Amino acid sequence: MLKSRVIRLSLLIAALGGAMASAAAAQTPLVPPSVAQTVPQFTTTMQISWEVRNRFRLFREERDFQLHIASLSGRSILESEQALAMQSDGRGWARNILGRLCIDATGRVSEPCTRDGVKESYLTPTDHPVTIRLTGAVPVGATCAWTFEDGDPPRQSTLDCAEPINLRVRYGRPTPVTVDVSSGSEAPQRVTTQIAVRDIFIAGLGDSIASGEGNPDRAVTLSDDGFCFRSYLGGPAGMYFRPGRAGFKGARACDTSDGTSLQNWQRAGAQWMNPACHRSLYSYQARMAIALAAQNPQIAVTYLPLACTGATIDEGMFGAQRARECVVGKNSLTCQGTVNAQIAELREALTAVTKRQPDRELDLILLSIGANDVDFSGLVADVIVERQTERALSRRTGVLSSVDEARSTLQRELPQDFNKLRQALKPFVGGDLSRVIYTSYANPSLLNGAPCPGGRAGFDIHPAFNADPQRLAEVTEFVQSEFLPSLKKLATCSGGVLCGNPARDRMTFVDQHQAAFASHGFCARAETDPPFDRECFSAKGESFVADIVDAANNPLVCGAGASDFRPYSPRARWIRDANDSYFTAMTYPQAQKAPTNQPGDIHDATWGVLSAVYGGAIHPTAEGHAAMADAALPAAMSVLGLGLSEAPVVSEPLSPATPTRQ
């Protein structure tokens, strides 16, 4: 009798930690997805290899996850985004996936969700689809008799060893697997292992940086002719034309309008997986969660997106906030007005989870918050709104803010509010705030480490815009020297910030992407930028035709059609300027901080300002979000302890007396 041979293998990967390099230099390539997740054995051995299929569970269909598997193979998330952008001709990969998510029309998670033809509970899965293979030195033509000990009787199947097995395994307890391998006159071999899928439960919280503002899943489609806006100056001299929305059936001229124009305009707008909060698959939170699933074949990722553009700690995290846009249906327009508090939404979701699966816990919270608390959008408006008439009106309606006002909030209100948020998040993560990954902001106005020069370049979408160099430099210095360092102290209980138990109250902090952004601010330009950008977005701020007769036919000085703009093409700037914001989203706000900010109609001068200030200007592009995701991914891997151990594979010859299943 052959002597029994037992080979036990375990894969030990040191936990990722310590200082991580910058997002540009530390774009760590993802491990190419492989079904073989065990250490190679001797050439005479075999092993059972398995992986979870369609393991980013927000995707309904396997093909959408496979798109990311392919693009992430050997690439960082940033490189993957750039590859997908080129593949989509700059139109964006998410535009085709938007209708195939476990998200309903209002942006809420579908419960249950039918994924790849199987109805599943999204938040509380009971099983997961896996693919199982016998790998290693498998004899040609060998027959495999598989047994899965997950029921009474066990599931059994016999087939050629070259064929994979697709089945669903129970969640919450291991499934023992045995395969008996028979090949001619050779002694039969038995290989065993256990399959245990780890389902990572992640909640995404925060503001516009967390939600993906400025990067709609399906960007607005532009028309090549002009659309009229009224200026505050009034009269024909106060009219100007910019590109409109393709498919809009309504009045393009300022002096004509009808009652259905707004609804027609809304139906031709950009689309989001959550219109009220401008949640997007391009957000760094979604991209990190997708990459986490792609890099780890034996986990599943259940991602709950809750971040909302415009959120502050008080209004957004703890209290309701105004919705950004209406929900556009086939035959209706639904304006919910407000969005529920994120803390309340998360608590409701976890309560439902606990009722069905008492042992299921939240593994990670992804968080970015604080910019709206110091009214960063008001600082942006203060920098770019130049003409005195608009400045006076914007100041009166609360659109503008100053550095002194932001500094006061940063020093007084924000520390108190942040501590309140810290205490509220503790119960969701078992009291251990290291499971909250706080990803900081990047300074949006740097080029080669210095402030952008200012001017109308990138901001000539509105006649009143002109990035004032002095105010821009002041805001840039405030962000770099005061705002960002203060956020780090708050999140990490350092620099005089008092925490009850720093060891458990300290969040996992991510800011490694900031160094890369220092060369990719909104003013960055390069010869590799898309031809449309180089030819049609004037470096002197002279992109649009001033004559209202000529501009009505084509408002671009370059003569090209606005439809040639590609919102997701790779470019030097990782921050959207005002022109990008308009050409990508063209947001018509449903409501803002004060009722007086609400535009009267789609030609209103108020909207001309708000569409840029609140529609995604000075927010990261999809590339910027990908760079942020690259920085956050190693932190998430370390907190989760992924890759530290694996179920052993046991291989042994069978006794001749053991019957072989046929």
Side-chain angles (χ1 to χ4, degrees):
M1 174 183 284
L2 293 175
K3 183 179 179 180
S4 296
R5 190 156 58 96
V6 178
I7 301 176
R8 297 183 178 273
L9 301 170
S10 62
L11 179 62
L12 298 176
I13 300 176
L16 297 172
M20 292 170 281
S22 72
Q27 306 290 345
T28 306
L30 299 181
V31 178
S34 168
V35 295
Q37 293 296 302
T38 57
V39 174
Q41 304 185 56
F42 298 109
T43 56
T44 58
T45 63
M46 296 173 285
Q47 55 267 338
I48 296 171
S49 300
W50 62 273
E51 66 175 341
V52 183
R53 300 195 308 276
N54 196 10
R55 50 190 176 269
F56 182 66
R57 300 186 61 248
L58 200 66
F59 290 160
R60 287 181 180 269
E61 299 186 11
E62 172 75 16
R63 57 175 169 164
D64 296 325
F65 182 63
Q66 287 299 324
L67 177 73
H68 288 275
I69 287 286
S71 69
L72 285 164
S73 179
R75 297 187 181 100
S76 67
I77 304 173
L78 174 59
E79 292 166 340
S80 166
E81 174 57 41
Q82 292 166 338
L84 289 171
M86 298 297 289
Q87 183 179 327
S88 69
D89 188 31
R91 291 177 169 85
W93 54 267
R95 73 192 193 284
N96 296 323
I97 298 177
L98 183 59
R100 300 194 294 265
L101 300 173
C102 289
I103 297 284
D104 65 20
T106 66
R108 295 183 66 87
V109 167
S110 301
E111 191 66 89
C113 180
T114 301
R115 302 178 65 246
D116 296 312
V118 178
K119 185 179 291 186
E120 300 177 2
S121 169
Y122 182 75
L123 296 178
T124 53
T126 57
D127 56 17
H128 293 89
V130 298
T131 296
I132 306 165
R133 293 177 173 86
L134 185 66
T135 58
V138 182
V140 176
T143 299
C144 282
W146 296 88
T147 301
F148 303 95
E149 301 282 350
D150 60 352
D152 187 15
R155 285 186 285 180
Q156 295 181 324
S157 181
T158 300
L159 66 164
D160 190 291
C161 290
E163 296 294 323
I165 294 276
N166 290 324
L167 76 158
R168 301 183 71 88
V169 296
R170 298 166 304 182
Y171 175 57
R173 52 179 171 167
T175 296
V177 180
T178 300
V179 59
D180 295 339
V181 184
S182 300
S183 177
S185 60
E186 296 183 10
Q189 294 282 322
R190 170 169 287 177
V191 184
T192 66
T193 192
Q194 289 189 339
I195 296 177
V197 176
R198 182 181 178 187
D199 193 297
I200 307 295
F201 189 10
I202 301 174
L205 305 178
D207 55 20
S208 56
I209 300 300
S211 72
E213 176 66 277
N215 300 279
D217 299 279
R218 190 173 297 156
V220 66
T221 303
L222 302 173
S223 64
D224 292 335
D225 49 23
F227 180 85
C228 182
F229 289 100
R230 299 185 190 93
S231 169
Y232 286 120
L233 299 178
M239 296 181 184
Y240 63 97
F241 281 79
R242 295 295 182 262
R245 293 179 175 181
F248 169 63
K249 298 177 181 178
R252 294 190 300 114
C254 283
D255 56 356
T256 58
S257 185
D258 60 75
T260 62
S261 289
L262 177 56
Q263 290 193 17
N264 290 331
W265 185 265
Q266 295 284 53
R267 290 193 178 96
Q271 296 181 40
W272 308 78
M273 68 174 178
N274 183 305
C277 284
H278 279 191
R279 291 183 199 136
S280 167
L281 286 171
Y282 292 105
S283 75
Y284 84 84
Q285 295 186 345
R287 292 309 311 270
M288 203 265 335
I290 293 170
L292 187 71
Q295 184 169 344
N296 297 276
Q298 294 184 352
I299 70 169
V301 173
T302 300
Y303 170 58
L304 178 62
L306 296 173
C308 196
T309 189
T312 67
I313 294 177
D314 187 44
E315 295 184 9
M317 300 301 296
F318 285 109
Q321 66 175 100
R322 291 186 181 274
R324 181 67 82 200
E325 288 194 66
C326 302
V327 177
V328 180
K330 291 183 178 180
N331 301 309
S332 64
L333 195 67
T334 304
C335 296
Q336 62 190 83
T338 59
V339 177
N340 292 336
Q342 294 175 46
I343 296 293
E345 287 281 309
L346 181 57
R347 184 179 295 113
E348 180 183 342
L350 292 181
T351 299
V353 166
T354 302
K355 288 181 179 179
R356 296 193 292 265
Q357 292 181 350
D359 295 332
R360 183 153 166 79
E361 297 180 345
L362 195 63
D363 294 285
L364 285 180
I365 290 177
L366 306 180
L367 176 67
S368 294
I369 196 72
N372 293 319
D373 295 79
V374 301
D375 197 10
F376 187 75
S377 62
L379 295 179
V380 172
D382 187 51
V383 169
I384 69 174
V385 178
E386 179 68 17
R387 208 159 55 187
Q388 290 306 309
T389 302
E390 281 81 355
R391 283 190 67 81
L393 290 171
S394 296
R395 172 67 71 180
R396 188 182 309 161
T397 56
V399 172
L400 303 187
S401 183
S402 70
V403 168
D404 286 341
E405 291 169 324
R407 181 179 292 118
S408 177
T409 301
L410 181 64
Q411 295 172 350
R412 298 180 182 181
E413 288 89 352
L414 186 57
Q416 298 176 7
D417 290 344
F418 201 94
N419 184 60
K420 180 182 175 184
L421 176 62
R422 189 195 312 276
Q423 300 307 315
L425 293 179
K426 276 186 178 181
F428 297 130
V429 290
D432 182 6
L433 288 174
S434 69
R435 287 159 56 187
V436 177
I437 298 181
Y438 184 97
T439 302
S440 189
Y441 306 92
N443 196 323
S445 53
L446 293 176
L447 180 62
N448 299 323
C452 288
R456 281 180 56 75
F459 293 92
D460 52 344
I461 191 68
H462 194 285
F465 289 170
N466 186 1
D468 180 80
Q470 182 176 348
R471 293 196 297 269
L472 177 58
E474 184 182 4
V475 170
T476 302
E477 176 63 20
F478 167 74
V479 170
Q480 194 69 21
S481 301
E482 299 180 56
F483 179 60
L484 296 179
S486 294
L487 288 178
K488 185 170 186 177
K489 293 173 184 177
L490 289 171
T492 60
C493 299
S494 61
V497 173
L498 299 178
C499 293
N501 182 354
R504 293 179 65 81
D505 289 358
R506 186 180 297 115
M507 298 177 182
T508 298
F509 186 78
V510 173
D511 65 355
Q512 287 71 29
H513 53 285
Q514 290 175 354
F517 272 86
S519 298
H520 294 280
F522 68 78
C523 60
R525 290 172 175 255
E527 289 299 317
T528 54
D529 283 351
F532 182 94
D533 292 36
R534 289 185 279 110
E535 297 168 10
C536 296
F537 286 157
S538 167
K540 297 180 180 179
E542 300 172 350
S543 306
F544 301 99
V545 176
D547 183 273
I548 61 175
V549 176
D550 294 337
N553 296 316
N554 188 339
L556 289 168
V557 171
C558 67
S563 59
D564 292 333
F565 176 75
R566 295 292 180 264
Y568 293 107
S569 289
R571 41 180 57 92
R573 60 186 179 278
W574 290 356
I575 299 292
R576 294 210 182 276
D577 57 31
N579 291 5
D580 291 331
S581 172
Y582 183 88
F583 274 59
T584 301
M586 209 180 293
T587 300
Y588 184 92
Q590 177 185 336
Q592 296 299 333
K593 291 183 295 184
T596 53
N597 287 349
Q598 183 64 27
D601 59 62
I602 58 176
H603 303 283
D604 194 291
T606 303
W607 176 49
V609 176
L610 297 179
S611 64
V613 175
Y614 292 101
I618 319 301
H619 284 74
T621 64
E623 288 180 278
H625 276 284
M628 294 177 68
D630 272 318
L633 180 60
M637 292 279 287
S638 177
V639 172
L640 294 169
L642 287 172
L644 293 180
S645 63
E646 210 167 76
V649 174
V650 179
S651 176
E652 60 184 358
L654 293 181
S655 166
T658 302
T660 302
R661 297 181 181 89
Q662 299 292 338

